[in-house]
Amino acid sequence: MNPNYYSFTLKKRHFLLLFLLISHYCQAYFPGDTIKPVSKINKTFLVSVHLVADSLGNVNDSLSDVIKVLEKVNAVFSPINAKFTVCEFDTISNYNYLFIKDTKDDPQASEIRHLYNKPGRINIFYSAKLTVNNASACGLASLKGITTERGSSVLIVCNSLNTVAHELGHYFGLDHTFRGSGSELANGSNCETEGDFICDTPADPYISSDPIKDYMNDNCKYISKKKDANGQYYNPDPSNIMSYYPCISSQFTKGQYERMVKTYRSNPQAW
Protein backbone atom coordinates (compact mmCIF):
# COMPACT_ATOMS: atom_id res chain seq x y z
CA MET A 1 0.00 0.00 0.00
CA ASN A 2 1.17 3.47 -0.82
CA PRO A 3 2.33 5.06 2.51
CA ASN A 4 1.21 8.47 1.27
CA TYR A 5 -2.30 7.08 0.71
CA TYR A 6 -2.32 5.64 4.26
CA SER A 7 -1.22 8.99 5.67
CA PHE A 8 -3.87 10.82 3.64
CA THR A 9 -6.60 8.40 4.82
CA LEU A 10 -5.53 8.78 8.45
CA LYS A 11 -5.66 12.55 8.14
CA LYS A 12 -9.17 12.31 6.69
CA ARG A 13 -10.26 10.20 9.66
CA HIS A 14 -8.76 12.65 12.11
CA PHE A 15 -10.50 15.53 10.32
CA LEU A 16 -13.81 13.66 10.40
CA LEU A 17 -13.48 12.97 14.14
CA LEU A 18 -12.60 16.60 14.77
CA PHE A 19 -15.57 17.75 12.67
CA LEU A 20 -17.95 15.48 14.59
CA LEU A 21 -16.55 16.70 17.92
CA ILE A 22 -16.99 20.34 16.89
CA SER A 23 -20.52 19.64 15.66
CA HIS A 24 -21.36 18.00 18.99
CA TYR A 25 -20.31 21.07 20.97
CA CYS A 26 -22.10 23.43 18.57
CA GLN A 27 -25.32 21.50 19.16
CA ALA A 28 -24.81 21.13 22.90
CA TYR A 29 -24.57 24.83 23.64
CA PHE A 30 -26.79 27.78 22.95
CA PRO A 31 -26.05 29.48 19.60
CA GLY A 32 -23.45 32.18 20.07
CA ASP A 33 -22.33 30.94 23.48
CA THR A 34 -18.87 29.38 23.29
CA ILE A 35 -18.38 28.52 26.96
CA LYS A 36 -21.42 28.27 29.19
CA PRO A 37 -24.71 26.62 28.20
CA VAL A 38 -27.97 28.38 28.96
CA SER A 39 -29.58 27.58 32.32
CA LYS A 40 -32.54 25.20 32.44
CA ILE A 41 -35.91 25.16 34.16
CA ASN A 42 -36.47 21.45 33.44
CA LYS A 43 -40.19 21.52 34.03
CA THR A 44 -43.48 20.86 32.24
CA PHE A 45 -46.07 23.44 33.26
CA LEU A 46 -49.72 22.43 33.36
CA VAL A 47 -52.03 24.80 31.52
CA SER A 48 -55.70 25.48 32.19
CA VAL A 49 -57.36 26.74 29.03
CA HIS A 50 -60.49 28.89 29.33
CA LEU A 51 -62.45 29.46 26.12
CA VAL A 52 -64.94 32.34 26.25
CA ALA A 53 -68.08 31.55 24.22
CA ASP A 54 -70.47 33.96 22.54
CA SER A 55 -74.24 34.04 23.10
CA LEU A 56 -74.65 31.04 20.75
CA GLY A 57 -72.04 28.97 22.56
CA ASN A 58 -69.37 29.40 19.85
CA VAL A 59 -65.73 30.00 20.75
CA ASN A 60 -63.20 32.09 18.87
CA ASP A 61 -60.48 29.40 19.03
CA SER A 62 -60.91 25.65 19.28
CA LEU A 63 -58.97 23.58 21.80
CA SER A 64 -57.10 21.87 18.95
CA ASP A 65 -55.99 25.28 17.62
CA VAL A 66 -54.75 26.22 21.08
CA ILE A 67 -52.76 22.99 21.41
CA LYS A 68 -51.18 23.40 17.96
CA VAL A 69 -49.86 26.86 18.84
CA LEU A 70 -48.60 25.69 22.25
CA GLU A 71 -46.60 22.96 20.50
CA LYS A 72 -44.83 25.68 18.49
CA VAL A 73 -44.31 27.70 21.67
CA ASN A 74 -42.71 24.65 23.31
CA ALA A 75 -40.09 24.62 20.56
CA VAL A 76 -39.21 28.26 21.31
CA PHE A 77 -38.89 27.53 25.05
CA SER A 78 -36.96 24.28 24.54
CA PRO A 79 -33.48 25.84 25.15
CA ILE A 80 -34.43 26.23 28.84
CA ASN A 81 -36.34 22.93 28.83
CA ALA A 82 -39.67 24.54 29.71
CA LYS A 83 -42.78 22.94 28.28
CA PHE A 84 -46.48 23.80 28.41
CA THR A 85 -49.14 21.12 28.19
CA VAL A 86 -52.92 21.48 28.46
CA CYS A 87 -54.23 19.47 31.39
CA GLU A 88 -57.78 20.85 31.52
CA PHE A 89 -60.07 23.26 29.75
CA ASP A 90 -63.46 24.82 30.21
CA THR A 91 -65.88 27.02 28.31
CA ILE A 92 -66.95 30.26 29.92
CA SER A 93 -70.56 30.82 28.88
CA ASN A 94 -70.73 34.41 30.13
CA TYR A 95 -70.41 36.23 26.81
CA ASN A 96 -69.81 39.52 28.66
CA TYR A 97 -66.18 38.34 28.84
CA LEU A 98 -65.99 37.94 25.06
CA PHE A 99 -64.77 41.54 24.99
CA ILE A 100 -62.38 41.89 27.92
CA LYS A 101 -61.31 45.31 29.15
CA ASP A 102 -58.36 46.12 31.34
CA THR A 103 -58.90 49.72 32.40
CA LYS A 104 -59.26 51.52 35.71
CA ASP A 105 -62.96 52.05 35.09
CA ASP A 106 -63.71 48.53 33.90
CA PRO A 107 -61.13 45.97 35.16
CA GLN A 108 -62.67 42.88 33.56
CA ALA A 109 -59.25 41.25 33.23
CA SER A 110 -58.88 41.14 37.02
CA GLU A 111 -62.47 39.99 37.41
CA ILE A 112 -62.21 37.00 35.06
CA ARG A 113 -58.98 35.94 36.75
CA HIS A 114 -60.61 36.11 40.17
CA LEU A 115 -63.58 33.99 39.06
CA TYR A 116 -61.93 31.32 36.91
CA ASN A 117 -58.22 31.00 37.72
CA LYS A 118 -57.13 27.52 38.81
CA PRO A 119 -54.31 27.36 41.40
CA GLY A 120 -51.08 25.64 40.45
CA ARG A 121 -51.77 26.14 36.74
CA ILE A 122 -50.85 28.61 34.05
CA ASN A 123 -54.29 29.96 33.21
CA ILE A 124 -54.77 31.10 29.62
CA PHE A 125 -58.03 32.77 28.58
CA TYR A 126 -59.05 32.98 24.92
CA SER A 127 -61.58 35.64 23.96
CA ALA A 128 -62.58 37.65 20.89
CA LYS A 129 -61.39 41.14 21.84
CA LEU A 130 -59.12 42.69 24.43
CA THR A 131 -58.83 46.37 25.30
CA VAL A 132 -55.87 47.59 27.35
CA ASN A 133 -55.80 51.28 28.30
CA ASN A 134 -58.45 52.01 25.65
CA ALA A 135 -56.44 50.38 22.84
CA SER A 136 -56.99 47.00 21.19
CA ALA A 137 -54.43 44.33 22.08
CA CYS A 138 -53.61 40.80 20.98
CA GLY A 139 -52.71 39.64 24.46
CA LEU A 140 -52.06 40.54 28.08
CA ALA A 141 -50.07 38.81 30.79
CA SER A 142 -49.24 39.37 34.43
CA LEU A 143 -45.58 40.43 34.60
CA LYS A 144 -43.70 37.75 36.56
CA GLY A 145 -46.99 35.88 36.96
CA ILE A 146 -45.02 32.63 37.21
CA THR A 147 -43.96 33.70 40.73
CA THR A 148 -47.54 33.53 42.05
CA GLU A 149 -50.22 30.85 42.28
CA ARG A 150 -53.34 32.98 42.02
CA GLY A 151 -54.32 36.35 40.61
CA SER A 152 -52.19 36.04 37.47
CA SER A 153 -52.92 34.71 34.02
CA VAL A 154 -52.45 35.13 30.29
CA LEU A 155 -55.20 36.63 28.11
CA ILE A 156 -55.08 35.84 24.40
CA VAL A 157 -57.04 37.19 21.44
CA CYS A 158 -54.60 36.50 18.60
CA ASN A 159 -53.84 32.79 18.92
CA SER A 160 -50.45 32.79 17.20
CA LEU A 161 -46.90 31.75 18.05
CA ASN A 162 -45.72 35.35 18.34
CA THR A 163 -48.52 36.44 20.66
CA VAL A 164 -48.57 33.43 22.98
CA ALA A 165 -44.76 33.27 23.26
CA HIS A 166 -44.64 37.05 23.81
CA GLU A 167 -47.18 36.97 26.63
CA LEU A 168 -45.54 33.96 28.26
CA GLY A 169 -42.30 35.93 28.06
CA HIS A 170 -43.95 38.62 30.19
CA TYR A 171 -45.31 35.90 32.49
CA PHE A 172 -41.74 34.71 33.04
CA GLY A 173 -40.42 38.21 33.76
CA LEU A 174 -39.46 39.71 30.39
CA ASP A 175 -40.21 43.31 29.46
CA HIS A 176 -40.52 44.76 25.97
CA THR A 177 -37.28 45.32 24.09
CA PHE A 178 -38.46 48.90 23.55
CA ARG A 179 -39.07 49.68 27.22
CA GLY A 180 -38.21 53.36 27.62
CA SER A 181 -38.68 53.92 23.85
CA GLY A 182 -35.17 55.21 23.22
CA SER A 183 -33.81 55.62 26.76
CA GLU A 184 -31.25 52.86 26.08
CA LEU A 185 -28.26 54.00 24.04
CA ALA A 186 -27.60 52.36 20.68
CA ASN A 187 -24.17 51.14 21.79
CA GLY A 188 -25.71 49.38 24.81
CA SER A 189 -23.49 51.15 27.34
CA ASN A 190 -26.45 51.72 29.72
CA CYS A 191 -28.16 48.39 28.99
CA GLU A 192 -28.20 47.36 32.66
CA THR A 193 -30.21 50.39 33.78
CA GLU A 194 -32.35 51.27 30.73
CA GLY A 195 -34.49 49.47 28.20
CA ASP A 196 -35.41 45.91 29.18
CA PHE A 197 -32.28 45.64 31.41
CA ILE A 198 -30.96 42.74 29.28
CA CYS A 199 -27.71 43.51 27.52
CA ASP A 200 -27.86 41.10 24.58
CA THR A 201 -31.11 42.61 23.27
CA PRO A 202 -30.16 45.61 21.11
CA ALA A 203 -31.62 49.00 22.05
CA ASP A 204 -35.04 49.54 20.48
CA PRO A 205 -36.53 53.07 20.12
CA TYR A 206 -40.02 51.90 19.10
CA ILE A 207 -42.99 53.79 20.52
CA SER A 208 -46.12 51.66 20.79
CA SER A 209 -48.38 54.38 19.42
CA ASP A 210 -46.30 54.72 16.24
CA PRO A 211 -47.14 52.87 12.99
CA ILE A 212 -44.97 49.77 12.48
CA LYS A 213 -44.30 50.85 8.89
CA ASP A 214 -42.24 53.76 10.22
CA TYR A 215 -39.77 51.25 11.66
CA MET A 216 -39.87 48.16 9.46
CA ASN A 217 -40.56 47.35 5.82
CA ASP A 218 -42.44 44.36 4.40
CA ASN A 219 -39.24 42.28 4.36
CA CYS A 220 -38.83 42.65 8.13
CA LYS A 221 -35.90 45.05 7.69
CA TYR A 222 -35.47 47.89 10.18
CA ILE A 223 -35.65 51.21 8.30
CA SER A 224 -36.11 53.92 10.97
CA LYS A 225 -33.55 56.73 11.01
CA LYS A 226 -34.02 57.50 14.69
CA LYS A 227 -30.86 58.35 16.64
CA ASP A 228 -30.08 58.06 20.34
CA ALA A 229 -28.87 60.78 22.70
CA ASN A 230 -25.34 60.37 21.33
CA GLY A 231 -26.46 60.81 17.74
CA GLN A 232 -25.98 57.12 16.87
CA TYR A 233 -28.45 55.14 14.78
CA TYR A 234 -30.41 52.33 16.38
CA ASN A 235 -30.19 48.79 15.08
CA PRO A 236 -32.75 46.68 17.01
CA ASP A 237 -33.54 43.04 16.33
CA PRO A 238 -36.97 42.90 14.61
CA SER A 239 -37.13 39.14 15.11
CA ASN A 240 -37.05 39.32 18.91
CA ILE A 241 -40.24 37.94 20.44
CA MET A 242 -40.48 40.76 22.99
CA SER A 243 -40.48 43.46 20.32
CA TYR A 244 -43.62 44.63 18.54
CA TYR A 245 -42.26 43.91 15.07
CA PRO A 246 -44.38 41.23 13.34
CA CYS A 247 -41.55 39.06 12.06
CA ILE A 248 -42.14 35.35 11.51
CA SER A 249 -38.73 34.07 12.65
CA SER A 250 -39.20 35.22 16.25
CA GLN A 251 -36.68 34.28 18.93
CA PHE A 252 -35.42 34.97 22.44
CA THR A 253 -31.81 35.83 23.27
CA LYS A 254 -29.64 33.97 25.77
CA GLY A 255 -30.03 36.86 28.21
CA GLN A 256 -33.81 36.63 27.94
CA TYR A 257 -33.73 32.89 28.57
CA GLU A 258 -31.54 33.44 31.61
CA ARG A 259 -33.94 36.12 32.91
CA MET A 260 -36.92 33.75 32.58
CA VAL A 261 -35.08 30.99 34.45
CA LYS A 262 -34.10 33.47 37.18
CA THR A 263 -37.69 34.70 37.51
CA TYR A 264 -39.02 31.17 37.88
CA ARG A 265 -36.35 30.24 40.44
CA SER A 266 -37.23 33.29 42.56
CA ASN A 267 -40.33 31.44 43.81
CA PRO A 268 -40.32 27.81 42.60
CA GLN A 269 -42.46 26.69 45.55
CA ALA A 270 -45.45 28.29 43.81
CA TRP A 271 -45.22 25.41 41.35
Side-chain angles (χ1 to χ4, degrees):
M1 177 181 291
N2 188 332
N4 292 330
Y5 175 79
Y6 176 78
S7 176
F8 176 72
T9 302
L10 191 60
K11 288 180 180 179
K12 285 179 63 179
R13 289 179 178 175
H14 285 167
F15 175 80
L16 180 60
L17 288 173
L18 180 61
F19 175 78
L20 291 174
L21 182 62
I22 292 173
S23 298
H24 167 74
Y25 278 107
C26 286
Q27 293 172 7
Y29 296 101
F30 188 82
D33 184 11
T34 57
I35 300 176
K36 184 180 179 182
V38 68
S39 302
K40 309 287 186 183
I41 288 179
N42 296 325
K43 188 174 182 65
T44 296
F45 295 93
L46 301 180
V47 176
S48 289
V49 171
H50 310 277
L51 306 174
V52 182
D54 61 20
S55 58
L56 299 177
N58 300 316
V59 295
N60 202 44
D61 295 288
S62 68
L63 181 61
S64 60
D65 291 336
V66 170
I67 293 174
K68 287 178 182 178
V69 171
L70 281 178
E71 288 174 349
K72 296 178 181 179
V73 171
N74 285 338
V76 175
F77 278 79
S78 62
I80 56 174
N81 200 17
K83 185 177 181 181
F84 310 97
T85 185
V86 177
C87 67
E88 59 184 346
F89 78 98
D90 58 28
T91 300
I92 299 174
S93 57
N94 187 345
Y95 59 85
N96 289 317
Y97 294 121
L98 199 62
F99 306 106
I100 301 177
K101 297 179 181 179
D102 186 45
T103 63
K104 293 181 180 179
D105 298 330
D106 195 358
Q108 282 184 311
S110 298
E111 185 176 294
I112 197 172
R113 289 166 176 158
H114 173 72
L115 293 174
Y116 296 99
N117 266 11
K118 302 290 182 64
R121 303 283 186 269
I122 294 180
N123 290 268
I124 305 182
F125 295 83
Y126 293 82
S127 60
K129 186 177 180 179
L130 174 64
T131 301
V132 180
N133 296 326
N134 299 317
S136 295
C138 270
L140 177 68
S142 306
L143 187 63
K144 298 183 180 180
I146 193 66
T147 61
T148 63
E149 278 193 273
R150 294 191 62 86
S152 62
S153 63
V154 177
L155 308 179
I156 297 295
V157 170
C158 309
N159 184 32
S160 65
L161 168 61
N162 276 17
T163 298
V164 178
H166 180 102
E167 299 308 330
L168 283 172
H170 285 317
Y171 199 75
F172 279 78
L174 299 184
D175 216 319
H176 292 131
T177 56
F178 55 88
R179 181 185 177 279
S181 299
S183 60
E184 183 180 356
L185 297 174
N187 63 13
S189 58
N190 62 343
C191 62
E192 294 183 350
T193 57
E194 296 293 340
D196 62 354
F197 311 123
I198 298 177
C199 288
D200 66 353
T201 58
D204 187 348
Y206 177 70
I207 299 175
S208 57
S209 60
D210 288 349
I212 289 291
K213 64 180 179 63
D214 292 348
Y215 295 83
M216 191 182 71
N217 63 19
D218 294 337
N219 296 320
C220 206
K221 181 180 178 180
Y222 184 76
I223 59 173
S224 174
K225 295 182 180 179
K226 280 188 175 182
K227 296 180 181 179
D228 68 3
N230 293 331
Q232 295 182 332
Y233 288 106
Y234 287 97
N235 188 29
D237 179 8
S239 68
N240 193 282
I241 289 174
M242 300 313 295
S243 74
Y244 263 19
Y245 306 116
C247 297
I248 297 176
S249 57
S250 294
Q251 58 189 355
F252 290 120
T253 65
K254 183 178 184 294
Q256 288 174 318
Y257 281 124
E258 294 287 357
R259 174 65 55 82
M260 288 191 283
V261 173
K262 182 179 180 181
T263 300
Y264 165 71
R265 288 179 177 175
S266 69
N267 189 22
Q269 59 269 27
W271 299 87

